[in-house]
Short mmCIF file of all heavy atoms in Angstrom, two decimals:
data_model
loop_
_atom_site.label_atom_id
_atom_site.label_comp_id
_atom_site.label_asym_id
_atom_site.label_seq_id
_atom_site.Cartn_x
_atom_site.Cartn_y
_atom_site.Cartn_z
N HIS Z 154 0.82 -1.20 0.06
CA HIS Z 154 -0.01 0.02 0.01
C HIS Z 154 0.89 1.27 0.04
O HIS Z 154 1.28 1.81 1.05
CB HIS Z 154 -0.93 -0.04 1.21
CG HIS Z 154 -1.75 1.23 1.27
ND1 HIS Z 154 -2.71 1.52 0.35
CD2 HIS Z 154 -1.95 2.18 2.32
CE1 HIS Z 154 -3.34 2.62 0.65
NE2 HIS Z 154 -2.89 3.03 1.80
N TYR Z 155 1.22 1.71 -1.22
CA TYR Z 155 2.17 2.82 -1.32
C TYR Z 155 1.36 4.09 -1.05
O TYR Z 155 0.40 4.41 -1.72
CB TYR Z 155 2.77 2.78 -2.75
CG TYR Z 155 3.76 3.93 -2.93
CD1 TYR Z 155 5.13 3.85 -2.44
CD2 TYR Z 155 3.36 5.14 -3.57
CE1 TYR Z 155 6.00 4.92 -2.71
CE2 TYR Z 155 4.31 6.14 -3.77
CZ TYR Z 155 5.59 6.07 -3.32
OH TYR Z 155 6.50 7.06 -3.51
N THR Z 156 1.91 4.93 -0.19
CA THR Z 156 1.17 6.14 0.22
C THR Z 156 1.91 7.46 -0.19
O THR Z 156 1.50 8.60 0.13
CB THR Z 156 1.03 6.15 1.72
OG1 THR Z 156 2.27 6.04 2.30
CG2 THR Z 156 0.06 5.10 2.17
N GLY Z 157 2.99 7.33 -0.93
CA GLY Z 157 3.81 8.49 -1.26
C GLY Z 157 5.29 8.33 -0.96
O GLY Z 157 5.67 7.26 -0.41
N PRO Z 158 6.11 9.29 -1.40
CA PRO Z 158 7.57 9.11 -1.16
C PRO Z 158 7.97 8.72 0.27
O PRO Z 158 9.03 8.09 0.39
CB PRO Z 158 8.07 10.56 -1.58
CG PRO Z 158 7.09 11.05 -2.59
CD PRO Z 158 5.75 10.51 -2.05
N GLN Z 159 7.25 9.20 1.27
CA GLN Z 159 7.64 8.83 2.62
C GLN Z 159 7.45 7.42 2.97
O GLN Z 159 8.11 6.99 3.96
CB GLN Z 159 6.67 9.72 3.65
CG GLN Z 159 7.07 11.18 3.67
CD GLN Z 159 8.48 11.44 4.13
OE1 GLN Z 159 9.03 10.88 5.08
NE2 GLN Z 159 9.20 12.41 3.41
N TRP Z 160 6.76 6.72 2.15
CA TRP Z 160 6.71 5.22 2.32
C TRP Z 160 8.11 4.63 2.21
O TRP Z 160 8.36 3.54 2.65
CB TRP Z 160 5.71 4.61 1.21
CG TRP Z 160 5.57 3.13 1.28
CD1 TRP Z 160 4.56 2.48 1.95
CD2 TRP Z 160 6.40 2.13 0.61
NE1 TRP Z 160 4.72 1.09 1.84
CE2 TRP Z 160 5.81 0.92 1.05
CE3 TRP Z 160 7.47 2.18 -0.21
CZ2 TRP Z 160 6.29 -0.28 0.53
CZ3 TRP Z 160 8.02 0.98 -0.64
CH2 TRP Z 160 7.39 -0.33 -0.26
N LEU Z 161 9.00 5.26 1.36
CA LEU Z 161 10.33 4.78 1.15
C LEU Z 161 11.33 4.96 2.31
O LEU Z 161 12.40 4.40 2.32
CB LEU Z 161 10.96 5.48 -0.08
CG LEU Z 161 10.14 5.27 -1.39
CD1 LEU Z 161 10.62 6.27 -2.39
CD2 LEU Z 161 10.29 3.87 -1.91
N GLN Z 162 10.85 5.67 3.35
CA GLN Z 162 11.69 5.87 4.52
C GLN Z 162 12.23 4.56 5.09
O GLN Z 162 11.44 3.73 5.52
CB GLN Z 162 10.88 6.73 5.56
CG GLN Z 162 11.81 7.22 6.75
CD GLN Z 162 12.62 8.38 6.30
OE1 GLN Z 162 12.14 9.28 5.55
NE2 GLN Z 162 13.82 8.46 6.92
N GLY Z 163 13.50 4.47 5.13
CA GLY Z 163 14.07 3.28 5.75
C GLY Z 163 14.09 1.99 4.89
O GLY Z 163 14.55 1.01 5.34
N LYS Z 164 13.54 2.09 3.73
CA LYS Z 164 13.40 0.96 2.84
C LYS Z 164 14.62 0.72 1.99
O LYS Z 164 15.54 1.51 1.93
CB LYS Z 164 12.21 1.09 1.81
CG LYS Z 164 10.80 1.27 2.48
CD LYS Z 164 10.37 -0.02 3.12
CE LYS Z 164 8.88 0.00 3.42
NZ LYS Z 164 8.43 0.97 4.40
N ARG Z 165 14.74 -0.52 1.45
CA ARG Z 165 15.82 -0.88 0.65
C ARG Z 165 15.37 -0.72 -0.80
O ARG Z 165 14.34 -1.29 -1.24
CB ARG Z 165 16.18 -2.42 0.85
CG ARG Z 165 16.64 -2.73 2.29
CD ARG Z 165 16.64 -4.20 2.47
NE ARG Z 165 15.34 -4.80 2.32
CZ ARG Z 165 15.11 -6.08 2.07
NH1 ARG Z 165 16.16 -6.93 2.09
NH2 ARG Z 165 13.85 -6.55 1.91
N ILE Z 166 16.15 0.10 -1.62
CA ILE Z 166 15.85 0.36 -2.94
C ILE Z 166 16.96 -0.12 -3.85
O ILE Z 166 18.12 0.37 -3.72
CB ILE Z 166 15.53 1.83 -3.19
CG1 ILE Z 166 14.51 2.33 -2.17
CG2 ILE Z 166 15.05 2.04 -4.58
CD1 ILE Z 166 14.35 3.90 -2.24
N ALA Z 167 16.69 -0.98 -4.79
CA ALA Z 167 17.69 -1.45 -5.75
C ALA Z 167 17.64 -0.66 -7.04
O ALA Z 167 16.55 -0.32 -7.47
CB ALA Z 167 17.44 -2.92 -6.07
N THR Z 168 18.89 -0.30 -7.53
CA THR Z 168 18.98 0.54 -8.75
C THR Z 168 20.30 0.52 -9.44
O THR Z 168 21.28 0.13 -8.75
CB THR Z 168 18.66 2.01 -8.31
OG1 THR Z 168 18.54 2.79 -9.56
CG2 THR Z 168 19.74 2.51 -7.45
N SER Z 169 20.32 0.81 -10.64
CA SER Z 169 21.54 1.07 -11.36
C SER Z 169 21.80 2.57 -11.60
O SER Z 169 22.81 2.89 -12.19
CB SER Z 169 21.45 0.39 -12.79
OG SER Z 169 21.17 -1.03 -12.73
N TYR Z 170 21.00 3.38 -10.94
CA TYR Z 170 21.10 4.80 -10.99
C TYR Z 170 21.12 5.44 -9.65
O TYR Z 170 20.22 6.18 -9.24
CB TYR Z 170 19.91 5.33 -11.83
CG TYR Z 170 20.02 4.87 -13.30
CD1 TYR Z 170 19.30 3.74 -13.64
CD2 TYR Z 170 20.70 5.53 -14.31
CE1 TYR Z 170 19.31 3.23 -14.93
CE2 TYR Z 170 20.72 5.08 -15.57
CZ TYR Z 170 20.04 3.93 -15.91
OH TYR Z 170 20.10 3.50 -17.19
N PRO Z 171 22.14 5.11 -8.85
CA PRO Z 171 22.22 5.67 -7.46
C PRO Z 171 22.27 7.12 -7.41
O PRO Z 171 21.76 7.73 -6.39
CB PRO Z 171 23.40 4.93 -6.89
CG PRO Z 171 24.32 4.65 -8.10
CD PRO Z 171 23.32 4.31 -9.20
N HIS Z 172 23.03 7.77 -8.29
CA HIS Z 172 23.15 9.26 -8.11
C HIS Z 172 21.81 10.02 -8.33
O HIS Z 172 21.54 10.89 -7.53
CB HIS Z 172 24.10 9.83 -9.24
CG HIS Z 172 24.35 11.24 -9.27
ND1 HIS Z 172 25.16 11.90 -8.33
CD2 HIS Z 172 23.91 12.25 -10.05
CE1 HIS Z 172 25.17 13.20 -8.56
NE2 HIS Z 172 24.31 13.36 -9.57
N ILE Z 173 21.09 9.66 -9.32
CA ILE Z 173 19.79 10.25 -9.61
C ILE Z 173 18.82 9.91 -8.45
O ILE Z 173 18.02 10.82 -7.93
CB ILE Z 173 19.13 9.87 -10.95
CG1 ILE Z 173 20.04 10.21 -12.05
CG2 ILE Z 173 17.71 10.40 -11.10
CD1 ILE Z 173 19.62 9.75 -13.39
N LEU Z 174 18.80 8.74 -7.90
CA LEU Z 174 17.99 8.30 -6.87
C LEU Z 174 18.28 9.06 -5.57
O LEU Z 174 17.41 9.49 -4.89
CB LEU Z 174 18.09 6.75 -6.66
CG LEU Z 174 17.28 6.23 -5.41
CD1 LEU Z 174 15.75 6.55 -5.62
CD2 LEU Z 174 17.54 4.71 -5.31
N GLN Z 175 19.57 9.17 -5.28
CA GLN Z 175 20.01 9.87 -4.07
C GLN Z 175 19.56 11.28 -4.05
O GLN Z 175 18.98 11.85 -3.06
CB GLN Z 175 21.50 9.81 -3.85
CG GLN Z 175 22.08 10.34 -2.56
CD GLN Z 175 21.46 9.74 -1.33
OE1 GLN Z 175 21.68 8.50 -1.15
NE2 GLN Z 175 20.75 10.46 -0.49
N LYS Z 176 19.64 11.93 -5.25
CA LYS Z 176 19.22 13.35 -5.36
C LYS Z 176 17.65 13.40 -5.12
O LYS Z 176 17.26 14.36 -4.40
CB LYS Z 176 19.58 13.84 -6.74
CG LYS Z 176 19.23 15.27 -6.99
CD LYS Z 176 19.58 15.76 -8.37
CE LYS Z 176 19.23 17.24 -8.62
NZ LYS Z 176 19.62 17.68 -9.93
N TYR Z 177 17.00 12.53 -5.66
CA TYR Z 177 15.49 12.55 -5.44
C TYR Z 177 15.12 12.31 -4.04
O TYR Z 177 14.27 13.02 -3.52
CB TYR Z 177 14.86 11.40 -6.31
CG TYR Z 177 13.41 11.23 -6.12
CD1 TYR Z 177 12.46 12.18 -6.58
CD2 TYR Z 177 12.89 10.14 -5.31
CE1 TYR Z 177 11.10 11.98 -6.30
CE2 TYR Z 177 11.58 10.05 -5.16
CZ TYR Z 177 10.71 10.93 -5.62
OH TYR Z 177 9.30 10.79 -5.34
N LEU Z 178 15.70 11.31 -3.41
CA LEU Z 178 15.45 11.00 -1.95
C LEU Z 178 15.72 12.21 -1.09
O LEU Z 178 15.03 12.50 -0.14
CB LEU Z 178 16.21 9.81 -1.53
CG LEU Z 178 15.79 8.48 -2.12
CD1 LEU Z 178 16.73 7.43 -1.67
CD2 LEU Z 178 14.31 8.10 -1.92
N LYS Z 179 16.81 12.94 -1.44
CA LYS Z 179 17.26 14.19 -0.66
C LYS Z 179 16.18 15.22 -0.82
O LYS Z 179 15.80 15.88 0.18
CB LYS Z 179 18.56 14.67 -1.11
CG LYS Z 179 19.10 15.74 -0.29
CD LYS Z 179 20.52 16.20 -0.75
CE LYS Z 179 21.06 17.40 0.11
NZ LYS Z 179 22.43 17.77 -0.30
N GLU Z 180 15.60 15.36 -2.02
CA GLU Z 180 14.63 16.35 -2.32
C GLU Z 180 13.37 16.11 -1.51
O GLU Z 180 12.56 17.00 -1.10
CB GLU Z 180 14.28 16.43 -3.76
CG GLU Z 180 15.44 17.01 -4.62
CD GLU Z 180 15.19 16.87 -6.11
OE1 GLU Z 180 14.25 16.22 -6.47
OE2 GLU Z 180 16.02 17.49 -6.88
N GLN Z 181 13.04 14.76 -1.36
CA GLN Z 181 11.81 14.33 -0.60
C GLN Z 181 12.04 14.14 0.85
O GLN Z 181 11.16 13.85 1.58
CB GLN Z 181 11.37 13.01 -1.22
CG GLN Z 181 11.08 13.00 -2.69
CD GLN Z 181 9.91 14.03 -3.02
OE1 GLN Z 181 9.01 14.07 -2.26
NE2 GLN Z 181 10.00 14.69 -4.12
N ASP Z 182 13.27 14.52 1.27
CA ASP Z 182 13.68 14.36 2.75
C ASP Z 182 13.42 12.94 3.21
O ASP Z 182 12.85 12.68 4.30
CB ASP Z 182 12.84 15.31 3.66
CG ASP Z 182 13.46 15.50 4.93
OD1 ASP Z 182 14.61 15.22 5.24
OD2 ASP Z 182 12.69 15.82 5.95
N VAL Z 183 13.85 11.97 2.42
CA VAL Z 183 13.76 10.57 2.70
C VAL Z 183 15.05 9.93 2.84
O VAL Z 183 15.95 10.11 1.94
CB VAL Z 183 12.95 9.84 1.64
CG1 VAL Z 183 12.98 8.33 1.81
CG2 VAL Z 183 11.47 10.25 1.61
N LYS Z 184 15.25 9.13 3.85
CA LYS Z 184 16.58 8.37 3.99
C LYS Z 184 16.17 6.88 3.76
O LYS Z 184 15.36 6.26 4.45
CB LYS Z 184 17.11 8.60 5.42
CG LYS Z 184 17.68 9.94 5.64
CD LYS Z 184 18.32 10.10 7.00
CE LYS Z 184 18.92 11.49 7.20
NZ LYS Z 184 19.52 11.62 8.57
N ALA Z 185 16.87 6.32 2.79
CA ALA Z 185 16.67 4.91 2.41
C ALA Z 185 18.00 4.22 2.15
O ALA Z 185 19.01 4.90 1.93
CB ALA Z 185 15.69 4.73 1.22
N GLN Z 186 17.97 2.88 2.10
CA GLN Z 186 19.24 2.18 1.76
C GLN Z 186 19.24 1.87 0.21
O GLN Z 186 18.30 1.29 -0.26
CB GLN Z 186 19.21 0.81 2.55
CG GLN Z 186 19.11 0.91 3.98
CD GLN Z 186 18.97 -0.45 4.62
OE1 GLN Z 186 19.65 -1.42 4.27
NE2 GLN Z 186 18.08 -0.62 5.61
N ILE Z 187 20.25 2.38 -0.41
CA ILE Z 187 20.40 2.26 -1.83
C ILE Z 187 21.31 1.12 -2.14
O ILE Z 187 22.46 1.08 -1.65
CB ILE Z 187 20.94 3.52 -2.53
CG1 ILE Z 187 19.92 4.67 -2.25
CG2 ILE Z 187 21.17 3.30 -3.98
CD1 ILE Z 187 20.42 6.03 -2.87
N HIS Z 188 20.87 0.05 -2.83
CA HIS Z 188 21.65 -1.07 -3.19
C HIS Z 188 21.92 -0.93 -4.71
O HIS Z 188 20.89 -1.00 -5.47
CB HIS Z 188 20.90 -2.42 -2.80
CG HIS Z 188 20.64 -2.60 -1.44
ND1 HIS Z 188 21.67 -3.12 -0.61
CD2 HIS Z 188 19.58 -2.41 -0.62
CE1 HIS Z 188 21.24 -3.28 0.57
NE2 HIS Z 188 20.01 -2.79 0.61
N ILE Z 189 23.13 -0.88 -5.12
CA ILE Z 189 23.49 -0.75 -6.52
C ILE Z 189 23.46 -2.07 -7.16
O ILE Z 189 24.28 -2.98 -6.79
CB ILE Z 189 24.88 -0.06 -6.62
CG1 ILE Z 189 24.84 1.36 -5.96
CG2 ILE Z 189 25.19 0.09 -8.13
CD1 ILE Z 189 26.23 2.09 -5.95
N ILE Z 190 22.69 -2.24 -8.14
CA ILE Z 190 22.54 -3.52 -8.90
C ILE Z 190 22.83 -3.24 -10.37
O ILE Z 190 22.23 -2.26 -10.94
CB ILE Z 190 21.16 -4.13 -8.74
CG1 ILE Z 190 20.77 -4.28 -7.32
CG2 ILE Z 190 21.11 -5.39 -9.51
CD1 ILE Z 190 21.56 -5.35 -6.56
N THR Z 191 23.66 -4.02 -10.97
CA THR Z 191 24.09 -3.74 -12.42
C THR Z 191 23.29 -4.78 -13.35
O THR Z 191 23.28 -4.62 -14.56
CB THR Z 191 25.56 -4.02 -12.66
OG1 THR Z 191 25.91 -5.29 -12.20
CG2 THR Z 191 26.35 -2.96 -11.91
N GLY Z 192 22.57 -5.71 -12.75
CA GLY Z 192 21.87 -6.65 -13.64
C GLY Z 192 20.39 -6.46 -13.63
O GLY Z 192 19.92 -5.28 -13.79
N SER Z 193 19.63 -7.46 -13.34
CA SER Z 193 18.19 -7.37 -13.51
C SER Z 193 17.56 -6.86 -12.21
O SER Z 193 17.25 -7.58 -11.31
CB SER Z 193 17.53 -8.83 -13.77
OG SER Z 193 18.05 -9.25 -15.07
N VAL Z 194 17.39 -5.52 -12.14
CA VAL Z 194 16.96 -4.81 -10.90
C VAL Z 194 15.61 -5.30 -10.54
O VAL Z 194 15.24 -5.44 -9.38
CB VAL Z 194 16.99 -3.39 -11.08
CG1 VAL Z 194 16.38 -2.50 -9.93
CG2 VAL Z 194 18.40 -2.88 -11.35
N GLU Z 195 14.67 -5.57 -11.55
CA GLU Z 195 13.28 -5.83 -11.29
C GLU Z 195 13.10 -7.12 -10.50
O GLU Z 195 11.91 -7.33 -9.91
CB GLU Z 195 12.49 -5.90 -12.62
CG GLU Z 195 12.90 -6.97 -13.53
CD GLU Z 195 14.02 -6.75 -14.41
OE1 GLU Z 195 14.65 -5.62 -14.33
OE2 GLU Z 195 14.41 -7.59 -15.22
N ILE Z 196 14.01 -8.07 -10.38
CA ILE Z 196 13.78 -9.30 -9.69
C ILE Z 196 14.12 -9.20 -8.24
O ILE Z 196 13.86 -10.07 -7.42
CB ILE Z 196 14.55 -10.50 -10.33
CG1 ILE Z 196 16.11 -10.34 -10.04
CG2 ILE Z 196 14.19 -10.69 -11.76
CD1 ILE Z 196 16.91 -11.60 -10.42
N THR Z 197 14.77 -8.10 -7.83
CA THR Z 197 15.30 -8.05 -6.47
C THR Z 197 14.20 -8.07 -5.35
O THR Z 197 14.44 -8.68 -4.26
CB THR Z 197 16.21 -6.75 -6.20
OG1 THR Z 197 15.48 -5.57 -6.59
CG2 THR Z 197 17.45 -6.90 -7.10
N PRO Z 198 13.02 -7.44 -5.56
CA PRO Z 198 12.00 -7.66 -4.58
C PRO Z 198 11.54 -9.04 -4.43
O PRO Z 198 11.15 -9.51 -3.26
CB PRO Z 198 10.78 -6.72 -5.02
CG PRO Z 198 11.49 -5.75 -5.94
CD PRO Z 198 12.57 -6.48 -6.66
N LEU Z 199 11.56 -9.82 -5.53
CA LEU Z 199 11.04 -11.15 -5.49
C LEU Z 199 11.91 -12.13 -4.66
O LEU Z 199 11.45 -13.10 -4.09
CB LEU Z 199 10.94 -11.75 -6.89
CG LEU Z 199 9.93 -11.04 -7.87
CD1 LEU Z 199 10.04 -11.63 -9.31
CD2 LEU Z 199 8.56 -11.11 -7.33
N ILE Z 200 13.24 -11.80 -4.63
CA ILE Z 200 14.19 -12.62 -3.88
C ILE Z 200 14.60 -11.96 -2.54
O ILE Z 200 15.58 -12.25 -1.98
CB ILE Z 200 15.41 -12.96 -4.72
CG1 ILE Z 200 16.09 -11.73 -5.23
CG2 ILE Z 200 15.02 -13.74 -5.91
CD1 ILE Z 200 17.30 -11.93 -6.03
#
């Protein structure tokens, strides 16, 4: 049940674009764990 950017607070986010993501999270005043993935990012929540 996603309620907005604050839902991401403290969450683990997988991405190949950490720089853009970090900038976005800072703008939203959200602190999350960024996991850099170079392969198939979309499968990371499933595992």
Side-chain angles (χ1 to χ4, degrees):
H154 179 58
Y155 182 82
T156 55
Q159 288 300 318
W160 182 91
L161 300 167
Q162 189 76 35
K164 297 292 196 298
R165 301 166 298 164
I166 308 175
T168 186
S169 300
Y170 297 90
H172 178 78
I173 298 174
L174 176 58
Q175 184 61 59
K176 182 179 179 182
Y177 172 76
L178 294 175
K179 185 176 180 180
E180 291 170 352
Q181 301 298 322
D182 195 26
V183 170
K184 292 184 178 180
Q186 302 174 41
I187 298 177
H188 294 278
I189 301 174
I190 304 292
T191 57
S193 300
V194 175
E195 65 276 0
I196 70 168
T197 57
L199 298 175
I200 57 178

